[in-house]
């Protein structure tokens, strides 16, 4: 089903509600969401009355026509998009209130808007399109589901090839090869492969360190399919496991299960976060879980809503979020188990199916 008219309609309604006559969209994921355009250089003007206008350069002349169709008027700008913007907004009545995206405009671009001031009132806005993106439509769910399926299959193949003695980077290379082979558009973020004490670094990058028996191997990665991301973490034991490793892994797995089973649309982000945090706390590891429980995924790997101690807004039905509790002990190691969960109005649907039990591999 074609969702773009509905998305543009929802944006226009949001603009009217916020008292704006038009929005200048500079975030590329927001532009892709509204028009389908996936290039790397564009501006989009959506006004409450006329057809949206997409400005891009000649490299994208063919692609923009193909991707956008009649959902926006495409202008190919020979020199600068900002010169084209000036001409585009002259069609909008003087005195109109125009919004720009405060989170996505560089200061030098902001100054260019100043040059365009005078006839219009420019005001910053935060999250107008992002909040629409939080609720996924059926087409988006299919794409995220495919990104999950590719990632899980790639992980399954990789696990069969992991051996002690390989470096973290080699493991990342094997995994990324399988992701590409299975149809992923590259990786949505830098693949994390962290062995032993490095698994205690929540955002470790794959290094030259070799995998050794008797330690953890944490892998956090994703696939991208038609722009949509998955984001999964599993922590394995290499060749053997001791009681302490098993114990910490059990606690994280139970925290993950508690949050994945208990999360509901309508719940505040902080209450969802507490489902896992409270459990880890009661088990005596509260200080070892420093980051937040999760985040929305979609066209970006980190988007709304947030599942964090400070997140007050209720979680919207239709969002797809990660649930990723962890316990990290510097110098020893860490465990994180991350799943992707669709918040339906009837309850949570866990999209990731890869086993969560501590697997001994290598
Ligand atoms: Zn992740
Ligand atoms: Zn994540």
């Amino acid at each position: 089903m074609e969702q773009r008219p509905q998305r543009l309609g929802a944006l226009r309604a949001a603009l009217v509600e916020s008292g704006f006559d038009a929005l200048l969209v500079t975030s590329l994921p927001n532009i892709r969401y509204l028009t389908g355009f996936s290039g790397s250089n564009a501006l989009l003007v959506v006004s409450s009355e006329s057809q949206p206008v997409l400005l891009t350069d000649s490299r994208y002349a063919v692609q923009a026509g193909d991707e956008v169709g009649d959902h926006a008027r495409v202008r190919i700008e020979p020199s600068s998009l900002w010169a084209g913007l000036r001409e585009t907004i002259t069609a909008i009545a003087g005195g109109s209130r125009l919004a720009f995206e405060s989170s996505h405009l560089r200061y030098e671009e902001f100054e260019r808007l100043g040059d365009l001031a005078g006839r219009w009132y420019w005001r910053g806005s935060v999250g107008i399109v992002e909040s629409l993106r939080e609720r996924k439509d059926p087409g988006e769910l299919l794409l995220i589901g495919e990104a999950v399926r590719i990632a899980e299959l790639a992980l399954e193949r990789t696990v069969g090839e992991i051996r002690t003695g390989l470096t973290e980077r080699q493991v990342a290379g094997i995994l990324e090869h399988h992701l590409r082979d299975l149809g992923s558009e590259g990786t949505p973020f830098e693949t994390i492969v962290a062995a032993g004490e490095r698994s205690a670094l929540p955002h470790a990058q794959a290094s030259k360190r070799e995998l050794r028996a008797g330690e953890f191997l944490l892998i956090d990665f994703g696939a991208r399919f038609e722009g949509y991301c998955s984001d999964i973490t599993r922590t394995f034991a290499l060749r053997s496991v001791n009681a302490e490793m098993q114990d910490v892994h059990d606690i994280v797995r139970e925290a993950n299960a508690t949050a994945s089973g208990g999360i509901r649309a309508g719940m505040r982000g902080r209450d969802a976060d507490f489902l896992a945090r409270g459990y880890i706390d009661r088990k005596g590891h509260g200080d070892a879980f420093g980051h937040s429980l999760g985040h929305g995924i979609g066209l970006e790997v980190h988007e709304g809503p947030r599942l964090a101690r400070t997140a007050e807004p209720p979680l919207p039905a239709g969002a797809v979020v990660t649930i990723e509790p962890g316990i990290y002990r510097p110098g020893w190691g860490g465990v994180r188990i991350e799943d992707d969960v669709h918040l339906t109005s009837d309850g949570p649907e866990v999209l990731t199916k890869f086993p969560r039990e501590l697997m001994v591999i290598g």
Side-chain angles (χ1 to χ4, degrees), residues 231 295 302 322 324 338:
D231 181 8
H295 50 86
H302 287 119
T322 68
E324 49 182 303
E338 176 178 26

Side-chain angles (χ1 to χ4, degrees), residues 189 220-221 231-233 295 324 336 338:
F189 58 95
D220 184 351
F221 73 106
D231 181 8
I232 302 173
T233 309
H295 50 86
E324 49 182 303
R336 178 165 65 257
E338 176 178 26

Side-chain angles (χ1 to χ4, degrees), residues 70-137:
D70 56 5
H71 298 285
R73 184 162 64 82
V74 175
R75 279 186 63 138
I76 304 300
E77 297 301 333
S79 55
S80 138
L81 302 192
W82 295 85
L85 178 65
R86 175 185 290 274
E87 288 173 30
T88 300
I89 61 170
T90 50
I92 298 172
S96 295
R97 290 152 301 174
L98 310 188
F100 60 86
E101 297 182 295
S102 302
S103 312
H104 305 291
L105 200 71
R106 291 200 302 265
Y107 187 70
E108 59 176 341
E109 296 167 339
F110 172 77
E111 289 187 314
R112 285 180 158 160
L113 289 187
D115 298 339
L116 298 176
R119 284 182 56 196
W120 305 278
Y121 299 104
W122 285 100
R123 291 285 179 275
S125 68
V126 174
I128 294 189
V129 183
E130 284 86 341
S131 62
L132 302 177
R133 281 172 46 197
E134 289 188 4
R135 296 173 190 269
K136 268 60 186 179
D137 54 47

Side-chain angles (χ1 to χ4, degrees), residues 1-11 132 137:
M1 192 169 63
E2 178 51 60
Q3 298 286 344
R4 282 171 286 182
Q6 213 170 316
R7 294 174 190 172
L8 285 161
L11 174 57
L132 302 177
D137 54 47

